[in-house]
Amino acid sequence: MNFANLFFIYAFLPAVLLLYYVIPNIHYRNGVLLLASLVFYAWGSPVMLLLLLAVCVVNYFLGRGIGKAPGEKKGKVCLVIGLILNIGLLFGYKYLAFFLDTISLIPGLHVSVCKFAMPLGLSFFTFRIISYLLDVYWEKVKAERSFPLFLLFVSLFPCTVAGPIVRYQTIGESLRVRRASWSDLYVGFMRLSVGLGKKVILADHLYGITEYYFSGNLRSLTVTEAWFALLVYALYVYFDFSGYSDMAIGIARMFGFRFEENFRYPFVCTTISEFWQRWHISLGSFFRDYLLYVPIFGKMRIYGGLFLVWFSTGLWHGASWNYVIWGLYFGLFILLETKIGKKRMKKIPKLIRHFYTKIVIILGFGIFYFTDLGRMGTFFKSLFGLSGNQFVDTFSSTYMMNNLILVLLGLICIFPWVPFFQKKLEKRSWTLGIAQCVCGILLLALFVFASIILVNSTNQPFLYTQF
Amino acid sequence: MDKETKFQTKNQNRFLHAIRIVIVCLFLVVLLSGAVLLIVLDRPTYSQDEKRVLAKKPAFTFSSLLRGEYTEDLQYYYNDTIPYRSVFKRFSDKMMSYKGIAQDDFYIDIPKDLPSFPPEESSVPTPILPTPDGSGSAAPDATNVPSVTLAPTKPNVNEFTQNQGIVTYQKRAMELYWGSKASMREYALSLNTLYTRKPDLNIWSMNIPTASAYYLPPSLAGKYGDQAQDCAYIRSLLHPDIHYVDVYNVLKKHTQEDIYLRTDHHWSYLGVFYAVEEMMKQGDLAVPNLKKDYTTKSKDGNLGSFYLYFDQKHLVNYPETFTWYEPKFSFDAAYYSYDTMEVVRTSKNKMFFYYSEPFYDMVNYGDSYLAHIQTENQTGRRLAVFKDSFGNALAPFLAKGFDEIWVIDLRYYKGDAYAFLEEKGITDVLMASCMFTNAGYKSVYYKNLFVS
């Protein structure tokens, strides 16, 4: 099950909201949420629920073990076991086949392994558990004593499947004490509508354009088409991912949980470092807080730490070398900016900084998309006109025009209009009131409109080749 | 802060709070009423637009639950059978049609994964005249037929995608065309073989161009196959005794009229009329008169195959008026199953059924059955039409001049064509198919019927 789905919006969510608010007691409310989360997780694959439960049981006891002796030997042992188990689980399901395929490239060595279906949200919940164990060890939080609450923390349905990587620090207290006010419901519905609109109206249709270009003959792309495709893909990834995060944050807010922001208008950045402080913030902060300062590189710790973080960032996104290259690509630019220094970077004219960051980001998405390095090479050749391809032709200009308004809408929506207008309107509460009213109605209309578009999601045009 | 300011701030906060409550309530109303209506309202079981049966409610079993199939199927059933699905689909297509700018309503849908073209032709040309053993011949005696090399017939390979994409221009959708010379030769070989084996028959070749022959945007002129040239090429390959109906040039005189459907890949019934009129004049047969012999009917707001099956969503903004012509004269119709060759339906004085989209398919149940029309004419002429879907619409006009008409889809007919012609006492054979068939891999259907 995913959020951008009529069944979720008009069957699952109303049922959970109704049950949740009918019950006044927080413990029973948590019970409803826990049940809903387990049903959500087990929806397409009930067997994987057993894995999730097993992971939770083990980590619950490990957490308790760490909590009883943080910083001491017993705590350390529990932590190490926890890290090995969780990283091992992630490695086994997600990276083992990739690792063995890479080894098999060595002449004379051929190893293969059965690929198992990856449990839903594995990359997210293992990271949440790892952050929990480390936070308990570093005494940032106390170990959760209640297993049901720990299970709820791990399986909470708004963030299980596709993030954000919510830490126990963020919601630990809310598990026990929370009240969802009318404001929470208001903000929740607003975020859900925005997220749904981003996903259904923008991301899904931008994806169609992306696939039109990227799945075909890359040599036939004109230069203009290649750049257009790359731009559209960058927009698609942003709206898809941030849209989902918005929905997750909104739905959690409806139940009184306040997740931290995961995307903060990343395309307004003027440096690559700033981009990564605005893009998938929960992942970036995870690696910054738990990996950057791992003391294994000695004197080379700055470079080593950066390498480790960006190698891991890339690899986290997928078991393929292009993701690793993508991560290291950004790591290189961050290292470059670190060497230049913040002050000197600020002296570079803003326009140039904007141009530099957008080019780097967009080119980065070209690396991100192509898991086949050969096709990646072909694409980049077309991008820079090295395939003997034309700069533009009738087809490319017509197709781009046929999708221009959608792309322009996407480009407009990447800017922080909401915080901008909010600041202006907050000066007078009557303007804020009207804005809230208008905004609310518009987002309600957006919600209904996105729902109508979702009706088309199972559309199967009869591919009529006989005539 | 003084008392008055505090009071004002408190009232303002209450005002903001009240607005939030109202907005939340509106959302809850939408959510909950949507939830209830989607349970209470009847769910559709068939999509006419997509021509498919919609998802069925899954049966519960523990094993399917454990495999996750039950829940996935339930979710899919829920999402697939939304009440008023077609209405919502068209609304969302209409909204999404504003996602771009289309000067002259110019839209492009050309797959980027097409193999390179023009297609590589076989270096060994298909012969176009048969020898007794069917293997091909040297230069024929007949004039205007080019010489050929001795070689066995090479089967057509679908080595390229004929449909080079779809463009919409000035509210008309059309497929971009490319033809294969090898396929055209195969088509000609089939007709020439029929002529050789049954020289007593009147054989007609009706090569029907598609809309892109006349209506391509200027920027695409010359970039794709030339249907006029290909029609002329086929004509040059045919035995001179085979009657050629020059549909291309006939329709060229009427391009300002609605001779092609705009949202469907077929020609209109008016275009069909002009083609049949030409054929009947050539054959000294009774020429149908639209006003005297037919009742004109029309329906507005229709969308054809390009919208329904080819997923050209922007066409939702350009629905067209569909016009058809129902015969005033009497006839009997019988419809045979291609599998059993038995009559499954009959009709008296009615050839038009299925008054729903896509309207082109309404005549004689489209491609579904082999049709037999018996008129009150006594000309002694019995016609067999071997056709693709472009030939579906000919029967109502042909019925004016022939005693009997057999309409046979060359893709679905499994019997012995020669035996059929013999058994039914056929005097005239019409090959009526569009250029995609005559100049593409589907020409093999003609070969299978008349050469093999």
Side-chain angles (χ1 to χ4, degrees), chain A residues 1 5 7 10 43-44 46 183 193 212 217 225 401-403 405-406 429 436 458-460 462 464 467, chain B residues 12 20 35 50 52 65 71-72 75-76 79-80 99-101 106-108 110 112 265 309 389 411:
Chain A
M1 213 192 307
N5 180 313
F7 182 83
Y10 289 101
W43 192 254
S183 282
S193 301
Y212 172 79
N217 182 359
E225 277 180 319
M401 290 298 278
N402 288 166
N403 292 284
I405 293 174
L406 181 71
S429 63
Q436 245 180 210
T458 61
N459 182 42
Q460 297 171 33
F462 178 65
Y464 197 69
F467 52 85
Chain B
Q12 282 156 6
R20 290 186 165 200
E50 296 160 65
R52 67 176 177 95
L65 179 70
T71 46
E72 287 295 338
Q75 179 181 279
Y76 185 74
N79 292 334
D80 200 37
K99 65 177 175 158
I101 298 167
F106 190 4
Y107 292 89
I108 268 183
I110 297 172
K112 282 287 174 188
H265 64 285
Y309 309 145
S389 63
R411 300 162 293 179

Side-chain angles (χ1 to χ4, degrees), chain B residues 349-360:
Chain B
N349 302 331
K350 186 174 174 170
M351 270 196 248
F352 289 84
F353 311 96
Y354 291 159
Y355 293 96
S356 62
E357 292 165 342
F359 276 68
Y360 181 82

Side-chain angles (χ1 to χ4, degrees), chain A residues 355-375:
Chain A
F355 182 75
Y356 144 73
T357 51
K358 299 328 162 259
I359 293 291
V360 168
I361 292 164
I362 289 172
L363 289 176
F365 278 112
I367 303 170
F368 188 80
Y369 178 87
F370 292 101
T371 52
D372 181 326
L373 298 181
R375 279 180 66 76

Side-chain angles (χ1 to χ4, degrees), chain A residues 94-107:
Chain A
K94 194 169 176 179
Y95 300 108
L96 182 60
F98 165 61
F99 177 70
L100 293 176
D101 285 344
T102 306
I103 287 183
S104 297
L105 293 173
I106 300 169

